[in-house]
Amino acid sequence: MNLRQLKYFLATAELGQVSRAASELSISQSSITTAIRELEQEMDTILFVRTAHGMEPTGSGRELVGAARDVLEKVDIARNIGQGRSEIEGTINIAATYTVIGYFLPFHLDRLTHRFPKLDIRISELNRESIEEGLMTNRFDMAVLLTSNTANPELETETLLRSHRRLWVPQNHPLHQQGRATFEDIAKEDYIMLTVDEAANTSMKYWGPTGLTPNIKLRTSSTEAVRSMVANGQGITILSDMVYRPWSLEGRRIGTVATDREIPSMDVGLAWRRTQDMSEPVRVFYDYFMDAFLSPQMSQLAGRS
């Protein structure tokens, strides 16, 4: 296993198509398919399945996505040792929702701290409505939230990543063995409904067109409670890849299954008041995420050997 293989694999997983990954990395499609095949042979597992929407990572593939990101990030950090740190200083007030703080923001805050040690980033966790109000009243300089839930015309937003939603089931569940589930199948099972960050409201948007209703056994704001109940066979759920982990706290395994209908992604990004003039510290925060995700991210991966 080498960095080139991980780079090509990650590009394919993030972009969903070999052709797009090849274009972003300015290499041939055969180079990518060869690297993925080599990884699959070495790991003795299938990393992707082809669907109508492109290349879909398998369970093993999604686990490798996290590991590959960690490896490439560590390499990036190692290469930047000795290049110095920015002297930009100041205080910025950032608001974030529960899911963002728990599953997205900490890694980036750590990187920002290393790059800008004199930058004081103060974080407040609030729900979307309170964050939007805080942005409009200048209580917050910027927010990191689920842009898929935001439609305030007075706010500017920038989506950084789109996290696919899939069905979560116990590892030994018949639907996991089947490999694909219809919403008719899902409606027959006990359903665990996550309520935090408007998840329940969002779920009704994709359940509505089916004409079906989930058989809700429990509503909870705890992602870990959902994870444990699914792993223990007490219900199934639909949640995003960003919050997915293959193991529950009890050490029981959770599998994911594709659905017959396309489910809207959970989009994470930045929000700020449309008429706001960004101070230098706020601009640094904004530029960091633009460079990390939209420069594009694949151009950064292409620079790694």
Side-chain angles (χ1 to χ4, degrees):
M1 186 181 298
N2 57 52
L3 295 179
R4 174 187 57 81
Q5 293 168 338
L6 293 179
K7 176 175 65 177
Y8 294 178
F9 162 80
L10 188 56
T12 304
E14 291 181 337
L15 294 173
Q17 295 179 347
V18 169
S19 59
R20 291 181 61 193
S23 176
E24 290 288 354
L25 293 170
S26 299
I27 58 174
S28 67
Q29 293 187 37
S30 61
S31 296
I32 291 183
T33 55
T34 298
I36 292 173
R37 185 169 59 251
E38 290 170 349
L39 277 176
E40 290 180 329
Q41 290 174 347
E42 179 170 347
M43 298 175 66
D44 193 26
T45 188
I46 301 298
L47 298 174
F48 289 103
V49 293
R50 292 187 178 274
T51 71
H53 305 292
M55 298 288 280
E56 182 80 15
T58 62
S60 297
R62 286 193 289 277
E63 289 187 52
L64 183 59
V65 166
R69 283 178 179 152
D70 288 344
V71 169
L72 294 174
E73 287 293 345
K74 293 298 184 184
V75 171
D76 188 46
I77 291 171
R79 285 180 173 159
N80 288 326
I81 290 174
Q83 293 186 6
R85 299 179 178 180
S86 172
E87 294 300 310
I88 292 175
E89 59 183 300
T91 299
I92 55 176
N93 293 295
I94 304 297
T97 55
Y98 169 87
T99 303
V100 168
I101 284 184
Y103 298 93
F104 175 79
L105 201 50
F107 168 79
H108 297 288
L109 290 176
D110 181 61
R111 293 192 74 194
L112 282 161
T113 298
H114 280 89
R115 292 188 186 185
F116 309 101
K118 295 185 179 181
L119 192 62
D120 182 13
I121 304 174
R122 301 182 179 180
I123 306 292
S124 297
E125 180 189 322
L126 295 166
N127 60 36
R128 177 184 58 82
E129 294 88 347
S130 298
I131 288 175
E132 291 183 0
E133 180 185 2
L135 290 171
M136 298 305 303
T137 58
N138 297 320
R139 179 183 172 193
F140 303 116
D141 299 302
M142 189 164 285
V144 190
L145 41 61
L146 304 186
T147 53
S148 46
N149 292 348
T150 303
N152 189 323
E154 297 185 64
L155 297 180
E156 195 81 32
T157 62
E158 188 74 69
T159 296
L160 301 174
L161 67 86
R162 303 182 191 278
S163 180
H164 294 293
R165 289 184 170 96
R166 306 174 209 273
L167 178 67
W168 292 15
V169 298
Q171 184 73 17
N172 60 354
H173 195 282
L175 291 178
H176 190 257
Q177 309 303 321
Q178 184 176 309
R180 181 171 291 271
T182 67
F183 271 78
E184 287 79 6
D185 293 330
I186 301 169
K188 296 174 184 177
E189 303 280 339
D190 287 338
Y191 196 86
I192 312 300
M193 178 70 75
L194 184 68
T195 59
V196 73
D197 275 353
E198 303 171 272
N201 180 57
T202 299
S203 71
M204 291 300 102
K205 293 179 181 179
Y206 52 81
W207 272 98
T210 70
L212 300 166
T213 303
N215 180 30
I216 300 174
K217 180 177 182 179
L218 172 69
R219 296 176 185 269
T220 176
S221 61
S222 169
T223 307
E224 292 307 322
V226 174
R227 200 187 314 280
S228 290
M229 292 195 71
V230 170
N232 290 326
Q234 298 174 31
I236 61 178
T237 194
I238 294 174
L239 286 176
S240 78
D241 285 350
M242 192 175 79
V243 301
Y244 172 74
R245 303 292 183 272
W247 301 95
S248 71
L249 292 175
E250 301 85 2
R252 295 187 176 178
R253 196 167 181 84
I254 300 168
T256 59
V257 181
T259 56
D260 63 328
R261 289 174 175 262
E262 187 171 356
I263 303 173
S265 60
M266 185 179 76
D267 302 342
V268 179
L270 306 176
W272 63 96
R273 185 168 49 84
R274 189 175 292 275
T275 57
Q276 174 183 352
D277 291 327
M278 292 187 190
S279 64
E280 184 179 31
V282 175
R283 174 61 65 176
V284 163
F285 185 88
Y286 172 85
D287 286 346
Y288 163 81
F289 283 103
M290 294 302 100
D291 290 342
F293 288 93
L294 302 177
S295 292
Q297 187 175 6
M298 291 306 101
S299 67
Q300 297 180 15
L301 290 174
R304 299 168 177 159
S305 60

